[in-house]
Amino acid sequence: MPHCDIITIGSELLSGFTLNTNAQYLAKQLTDLGFCVIRQASCHDQIEEIGRVIDEALGRSDLIILTGGLGPTPDDVTRQAIAKRFRCDLMFNSEQYRHIVRLYRKIKQRVPSLTKREALFPDIGTPLLNHYGIALGFYIEYNRKLIVVLPGVPRELHGMFKTSVRNLILKKFKKRESFFKLQAKIVGVSEPVVMTKLGKQFFKSRVFDFGIYPVPGEVIIRIKTKNRVLRERLKRELKAIFKENLYTFGDEDFSEAIMKLFVKKKKTLAVAESCTGGWLAKRVTDPSGASRYFLGGVCAYANQIKINFLDIPALIIEKHGAVSSIVAKLMAKGIREECGSSLGVGITGIAGPTGGTPKKPVGLVYVAFSDVKRTKVVRLQIPGERDRVREWSVNKALFGIWTWIKKP
Amino acid sequence: MPHCDIITIGSELLSGFTLNTNAQYLAKQLTDLGFCVIRQASCHDQIEEIGRVIDEALGRSDLIILTGGLGPTPDDVTRQAIAKRFRCDLMFNSEQYRHIVRLYRKIKQRVPSLTKREALFPDIGTPLLNHYGIALGFYIEYNRKLIVVLPGVPRELHGMFKTSVRNLILKKFKKRESFFKLQAKIVGVSEPVVMTKLGKQFFKSRVFDFGIYPVPGEVIIRIKTKNRVLRERLKRELKAIFKENLYTFGDEDFSEAIMKLFVKKKKTLAVAESCTGGWLAKRVTDPSGASRYFLGGVCAYANQIKINFLDIPALIIEKHGAVSSIVAKLMAKGIREECGSSLGVGITGIAGPTGGTPKKPVGLVYVAFSDVKRTKVVRLQIPGERDRVREWSVNKALFGIWTWIKKP
C-alpha cells in the first residue's frame, strides 16, 4: 500500500488561529482511495522549515500532499521553498493567469499586482490549474515519488482534489490495497464495557485492523480487513454480542435510526425539557423527515411554563422542587397528553455550575418516559461541566427513546 | 522564546475519522503563553512510530506536548511506546486508580479490568492526575527538555491543561515573549464586509499581526502586537467602525452577551420554534444563569402544537401555510403572551432537503420578533443544506434578539 505524508503549511495552524480541516479532508480522501497516511505535519511559512518537512516526508512516503502558503502576500513562501529545495526556478503559467484576470473582471476589480506570483510554479514540476480560485497548484515527480502542492483554501483544495489530483494519484499508484470495511455504532455502553464484551476471543487467531472511538453518547467500532468472508463473520458476531445496543452498521446518526423505527412502527414522540433547554428536540429534529413522528416539545425553563403548558400542579413543584422524580414524570406524562403522542419524555435537572445544593448537587438529572401504560424515571448523577451534563442527559434520553421503540 | 512541538497520536486522525481539535487547542494555549509552536505532527498508534516522532521533536523543541493513545484498549500504546523509547518500566499510580474506582462507583458500574492500564505511567516520569476522566497523564524531564503526555479526550485535555500543565510549563520555562492581544467578535456582517469596512487605512504604516476568522454567525478578528499603545488605539478604532455589530472584546459567546444585557435590563425572553426544532432554545440556555431571563419555549413541529400551545387559529395555518409570515408573527406573539415575556421570537421555515415547493423553496425561513409594542418579521432565503439552514436561522434569530435588547 503506498505510504503518504500530509503536510499543511501555515503559521495560523501553529498559533491555533485556524482549525486544520484540510488535514482531515486529505486523510479521509487518501484512506478511502487505498493509501496509508503515515504522518501529518504542520509547519510555519518559513523557507527552511518547509524544505525540512519535505525532506522528512521524502524519507518515508511515496506520495506527499502539501497544502497552504500559495497566497499572494509575502508571508506565503511555499513556492520559493520548493524551488530552493529542488534547486530550480519559478516559471509563469499564462493559462492560470488568464483565469485570474477573468475572475477579477467578473467582480469588476483590477488585478492586484501581487497576484502575478500566484501563477508561478517550479520549472521541474507540472502545473495543476486551479479553476476554483487564484493560486496555481503543481506537482513534482522526484525519485519515483510524487509531491502534490495545493492551495490551502478548503473550497479550492476540495475542488482540485476531486477534479484533477484524484485521477493523477490513481494513475501513478496502481498498487493500492482494497479493504473490506465494517463500522458498527453502539449506544448505551461505555468503551471499556464494549471491549470487555468483545473479549479476547474476538481478536484471537485472525487478523484485522480494529479501531474503537468513543464519541458523546456512542462508541464506534471500525474494522478493516482484506478478507471479505471475515468481514461478514465479524459483522454477525458484533450483532450477536451487542444486540439492541448496536443501532447501525451504516453511517446514519442515532437520531436517524430512532426516526426510522418510529415511522415504521407508526408511533409519535413529544418531549418536555428543562435543563437541556431544547437540545433533545434539536437532536430529534436533526434528520430530515423528523416531522413524520416528532410532534413537538416544550422547553419548560421557568416553573410557570411547567404549570401552564404541562399541567403540573404548582403545589407539587413547591413540595418536591422542580428537579425531582415526580416532576420529571409529570413532565413526560403532561407533554404526551398535551400533544397526543405515543411516547412522552421529561427531563429536569441541575446543569450547573450554579444551582446545586447538598441534597440536589450539580449533575443531578431525572429523565422520565411515559406511554399510555406506564411512566418510568431514571435518576442520573452526571459528573463534569454544564455542557457535559446537558449533552449526557440528551444522550440518555435518546437511549431511553430507542429502548422504548425497540421493544416488540 | 521556548520552542514547542505538538504531537497528536491516533490512527483515527490519519484516516480522517476525527478532526484534530486538540492540535488547535494546544497551539492556541501555548502561543498565548508565549511559546513558539514550531511543529505539529500526527502519527499512528504504533510503538515505533511514536518513538520516532518523539525523537524528531526532541531534536528541535524544548517542550513537547503529546496527546492521545492513553485509552484502555490494546490499540492505545502511547505509554508502552514512551517506556520503550526511554528504556524504563511502567508504574501503577494508586491515587489515579482510586479516582477511577470512585468514578465507576458513582455511575454504579464495576470497574472493567482493562481500566487498570490507565493508571500506569513510565517510572522515569511524574504522574499528572486526571480529575476529568480515567486516563492518567504524566511528564518526563529529559536533557533539560520537558515532555508532557495527556489524554486525547478534549474535555479531559482542556481540564488538565488549565489546572496542572499550565503551571508546570510556566514554572519550567521562564523566558517567554509577551504580546498584547486583541480579539473582537462581530455579528451581523460577513467577512468581506468586515474587510471592506476596515479598509486599507486600518493597516497602513503600522505593524501588527492580523487574523480574520469567519465562524457560523460571526466574524472574529484577532490582533497581536508588542506595542500596548497601538493595541489600545486599534481597539478604539474597531469599536468606532463596527459599533453595534461588535459584541465583545472578550471570550464570551454571543448567547452569553445577550444574557448579560437581558439580565441588566430586567427583560425576559421566550421562543417558539418550528424548523429549528429547539436549537434556538438550546443556544439561549448554553450559558449558566440563562434561567434569570429565559422563561421557556415551544418546539411547535406539528401544526396541532402551534394551535394548542400558541393559540394560532387553524384557519390561518390552512390559508397561509405553516411556513408563512403571518404564522411566524403569531408564533412570536403567542409565545410571548403565553409565557408573559418581554420579547417573543417565532421561527418557521423549510429546512429541507425535502418539503420545498416552487413557491416556498427549501431554505425559506421567517423569523418574527414580538414585544408589547409591535411584531416584526424577517424573511430569509438561506442557501445550503438542512443543517446550514437551521444554524443560519438560529443565528439570525440571535442577532434579532441582540438588536432588540441593544435598543436604548
Side-chain angles (χ1 to χ4, degrees):
Chain A
M1 191 158 39
H3 281 187
C4 180
D5 255 57
I6 295 171
I7 300 173
T8 43
I9 293 168
S11 299
E12 73 277 18
L13 298 168
L14 294 170
S15 67
F17 271 171
T18 304
L19 182 60
N20 196 346
T21 56
N22 287 350
Q24 185 191 26
Y25 172 80
L26 289 171
K28 188 164 187 327
Q29 298 302 317
L30 293 166
T31 304
D32 284 353
L33 293 175
F35 290 84
C36 175
V37 180
I38 54 172
R39 193 72 69 83
Q40 173 273 321
S42 301
C43 77
H44 279 280
D45 296 290
Q46 280 171 4
I47 290 183
E48 286 71 30
E49 267 295 279
I50 295 172
R52 264 195 290 273
V53 81
I54 290 175
D55 276 333
E56 288 166 18
L58 280 172
R60 64 185 159 235
S61 275
D62 311 295
L63 169 64
I64 298 167
I65 302 212
L66 195 148
T67 73
L70 298 180
T73 51
D75 55 337
D76 289 308
V77 295
T78 300
R79 290 175 217 291
Q80 292 92 305
I82 290 175
K84 189 173 176 203
R85 163 63 185 80
F86 293 100
R87 293 195 190 83
C88 67
D89 288 320
L90 287 172
M91 238 168 101
F92 181 73
N93 181 272
S94 51
E95 200 176 340
Q96 181 73 29
Y97 192 69
R98 279 198 299 276
H99 165 72
I100 295 174
V101 171
R102 271 196 303 275
L103 276 185
Y104 274 94
R105 203 172 289 151
K106 247 189 195 166
I107 57 167
K108 300 203 166 78
Q109 287 187 9
R110 274 184 50 224
V111 182
S113 60
L114 275 171
T115 304
K116 266 211 162 148
R117 296 179 66 210
E118 297 194 80
L120 296 177
F121 69 102
D123 63 10
I124 61 156
T126 309
L128 283 168
L129 291 186
N130 176 0
H131 296 291
Y132 304 88
I134 304 290
L136 181 71
F138 55 88
Y139 66 89
I140 294 171
E141 295 183 89
Y142 179 81
N143 285 350
R144 294 204 206 149
K145 300 188 177 222
L146 181 66
I147 303 162
V148 183
V149 182
L150 298 168
V153 181
R155 209 178 47 82
E156 302 177 17
L157 171 68
H158 301 181
M160 290 181 74
F161 193 91
K162 270 183 220 154
T163 52
S164 52
V165 178
R166 201 177 171 282
N167 289 336
L168 171 71
I169 61 179
L170 290 184
K171 227 168 100 183
K172 167 99 182 165
F173 299 97
K174 296 226 161 79
K175 275 198 193 160
R176 286 165 291 110
E177 266 183 83
S178 62
F179 285 100
F180 296 100
K181 280 181 212 157
L182 181 62
Q183 172 173 281
K185 293 188 172 185
I186 296 164
V187 283
V189 279
S190 67
E191 187 189 9
V193 174
V194 168
M195 286 309 293
T196 309
K197 284 194 168 208
L198 285 175
K200 279 186 188 155
Q201 201 56 38
F202 188 78
F203 299 94
K204 218 169 184 177
S205 45
R206 50 193 187 187
V207 181
F208 56 88
D209 269 14
F210 179 88
I212 178 163
Y213 309 102
V215 297
E218 306 184 10
V219 175
I220 298 174
I221 289 177
R222 288 185 134 198
I223 285 170
K224 220 165 76 173
T225 163
K226 286 186 192 168
N227 182 338
R228 192 191 178 133
V229 179
L230 176 60
R231 198 255 311 255
E232 294 312 310
R233 190 179 310 141
L234 294 170
K235 193 170 171 179
R236 279 195 306 274
E237 289 180 22
L238 287 174
K239 219 168 171 171
I241 296 170
F242 294 105
K243 296 187 188 81
E244 313 289 84
N245 291 96
L246 196 163
Y247 75 84
T248 189
F249 285 110
D251 268 328
E252 66 184 353
D253 285 334
F254 193 33
S255 49
E256 221 173 321
I258 288 173
M259 176 179 77
K260 283 183 186 163
L261 268 182
F262 267 85
V263 170
K264 193 175 146 200
K265 295 195 172 184
K266 295 199 171 64
K267 300 288 181 191
T268 54
L269 174 71
V271 304
E273 306 177 62
S274 180
C275 63
T276 50
W279 200 338
L280 176 59
K282 188 260 171 199
R283 281 286 295 280
V284 165
T285 59
D286 274 344
S288 171
S291 59
R292 286 175 295 165
Y293 86 101
F294 180 63
L295 302 182
V298 163
C299 169
Y301 230 57
N303 284 342
Q304 199 54 46
I305 311 291
K306 295 186 183 83
I307 296 164
N308 291 358
F309 284 133
L310 302 169
D311 278 333
I312 301 180
L315 268 174
I316 288 197
I317 299 182
E318 227 168 86
K319 191 175 164 200
H320 299 275
V323 178
S324 58
S325 167
I326 177 84
V327 167
K329 280 181 178 178
L330 289 175
M331 286 171 76
K333 191 160 169 279
I335 195 72
R336 178 176 61 78
E337 286 173 354
E338 286 291 332
C339 297
S341 60
S342 332
L343 179 67
V345 178
I347 306 180
T348 180
I350 300 156
T354 57
T357 63
K359 264 189 137 177
K360 294 185 178 178
V362 167
L364 173 67
V365 179
Y366 294 94
V367 186
F369 305 90
S370 168
D371 62 20
V372 74
K373 281 192 209 145
R374 69 177 67 79
T375 298
K376 70 165 208 172
V377 65
V378 183
R379 185 188 185 277
L380 307 167
Q381 182 60 55
I382 305 165
E385 289 173 359
R386 179 179 180 82
D387 236 37
R388 185 159 188 257
V389 171
R390 282 163 40 104
E391 190 169 34
W392 189 308
S393 307
V394 168
N395 285 324
K396 281 286 172 186
L398 286 172
F399 183 64
I401 294 169
W402 168 255
T403 310
W404 182 84
I405 193 70
K406 278 291 268 187
K407 258 188 292 183
Chain B
M1 197 160 32
H3 282 188
C4 179
D5 255 57
I6 295 170
I7 300 174
T8 43
I9 293 169
S11 299
E12 70 276 19
L13 298 168
L14 294 170
S15 68
F17 184 74
T18 304
L19 182 61
N20 196 346
T21 54
N22 286 350
Q24 184 192 25
Y25 172 81
L26 288 171
K28 185 168 184 320
Q29 300 301 318
L30 293 166
T31 305
D32 283 355
L33 293 176
F35 289 85
C36 176
V37 179
I38 55 170
R39 194 72 69 84
Q40 173 273 322
S42 300
C43 77
H44 279 280
D45 295 290
Q46 281 170 3
I47 290 184
E48 286 71 31
E49 268 294 280
I50 295 172
R52 266 197 288 275
V53 81
I54 290 174
D55 277 332
E56 289 166 19
L58 281 171
R60 64 186 161 237
S61 275
D62 312 296
L63 169 65
I64 299 168
I65 302 215
L66 197 146
T67 73
L70 298 181
T73 54
D75 56 336
D76 290 307
V77 295
T78 300
R79 289 180 217 303
Q80 292 93 304
I82 290 176
K84 190 176 175 198
R85 163 63 186 81
F86 293 101
R87 294 194 189 86
C88 66
D89 289 320
L90 288 173
M91 237 168 104
F92 181 74
N93 181 271
S94 51
E95 199 175 342
Q96 181 72 29
Y97 192 68
R98 277 197 298 275
H99 165 72
I100 296 173
V101 171
R102 271 196 302 274
L103 277 184
Y104 274 94
R105 202 173 288 152
K106 248 190 193 166
I107 57 167
K108 298 199 170 81
Q109 288 187 9
R110 272 185 50 223
V111 182
S113 61
L114 275 171
T115 303
K116 269 214 161 148
R117 297 180 64 209
E118 297 193 78
L120 296 176
F121 70 101
D123 63 8
I124 61 157
T126 309
L128 283 168
L129 291 186
N130 176 0
H131 296 290
Y132 304 88
I134 304 290
L136 180 72
F138 53 88
Y139 66 90
I140 294 172
E141 297 184 86
Y142 179 81
N143 285 351
R144 290 200 209 154
K145 299 185 178 222
L146 181 66
I147 304 163
V148 182
V149 182
L150 298 168
V153 180
R155 205 182 48 84
E156 301 177 17
L157 171 69
H158 301 181
M160 290 181 73
F161 193 90
K162 270 182 224 157
T163 52
S164 51
V165 178
R166 201 177 172 282
N167 290 336
L168 172 72
I169 61 180
L170 289 184
K171 227 167 100 181
K172 168 99 182 164
F173 300 98
K174 296 226 162 81
K175 275 196 192 161
R176 290 161 288 112
E177 252 184 275
S178 64
F179 285 98
F180 296 99
K181 279 182 218 152
L182 181 61
Q183 171 172 282
K185 294 188 172 184
I186 296 165
V187 282
V189 280
S190 67
E191 188 188 7
V193 174
V194 168
M195 286 308 292
T196 309
K197 283 193 169 205
L198 285 174
K200 278 185 188 157
Q201 203 54 41
F202 188 77
F203 298 93
K204 219 168 184 175
S205 44
R206 51 193 186 187
V207 181
F208 55 89
D209 270 13
F210 178 88
I212 178 163
Y213 310 98
V215 295
E218 306 185 8
V219 175
I220 299 174
I221 289 176
R222 288 200 173 127
I223 285 169
K224 212 166 81 174
T225 164
K226 286 192 189 164
N227 180 338
R228 191 191 178 133
V229 179
L230 175 60
R231 199 256 311 257
E232 294 311 311
R233 190 178 310 141
L234 293 170
K235 191 169 172 180
R236 280 196 303 275
E237 290 180 20
L238 287 174
K239 216 168 174 173
I241 295 170
F242 294 104
K243 296 184 187 81
E244 311 289 85
N245 291 97
L246 196 162
Y247 76 84
T248 189
F249 284 110
D251 268 327
E252 65 185 353
D253 286 334
F254 194 30
S255 49
E256 220 174 321
I258 288 172
M259 176 179 77
K260 283 184 186 161
L261 268 181
F262 267 86
V263 171
K264 192 175 148 200
K265 295 194 172 184
K266 297 198 172 63
K267 301 288 181 189
T268 54
L269 174 72
V271 304
E273 305 178 62
S274 181
C275 63
T276 49
W279 200 338
L280 175 59
K282 189 258 170 201
R283 282 285 297 278
V284 164
T285 58
D286 273 344
S288 172
S291 60
R292 286 175 296 166
Y293 87 101
F294 181 62
L295 303 182
V298 163
C299 169
Y301 230 58
N303 286 340
Q304 200 55 47
I305 311 292
K306 295 185 182 84
I307 295 163
N308 290 359
F309 284 134
L310 302 168
D311 277 332
I312 301 180
L315 269 173
I316 287 193
I317 299 181
E318 229 169 83
K319 191 176 165 198
H320 298 275
V323 178
S324 57
S325 166
I326 176 85
V327 168
K329 280 183 179 177
L330 289 175
M331 285 170 75
K333 192 160 168 279
I335 194 73
R336 177 175 63 77
E337 285 173 355
E338 287 293 331
C339 296
S341 60
S342 331
L343 179 67
V345 178
I347 307 182
T348 179
I350 301 157
T354 59
T357 64
K359 264 188 138 175
K360 291 183 179 178
V362 166
L364 173 66
V365 178
Y366 294 94
V367 185
F369 305 88
S370 168
D371 61 20
V372 74
K373 281 194 207 143
R374 68 178 69 78
T375 299
K376 72 166 206 173
V377 64
V378 183
R379 184 186 186 279
L380 307 167
Q381 183 60 55
I382 305 164
E385 290 173 358
R386 180 179 179 82
D387 236 36
R388 183 157 188 262
V389 171
R390 282 164 39 104
E391 189 169 34
W392 190 308
S393 306
V394 169
N395 285 324
K396 282 286 173 187
L398 286 173
F399 184 64
I401 294 168
W402 169 256
T403 310
W404 182 85
I405 194 68
K406 279 290 271 187
K407 257 187 293 181

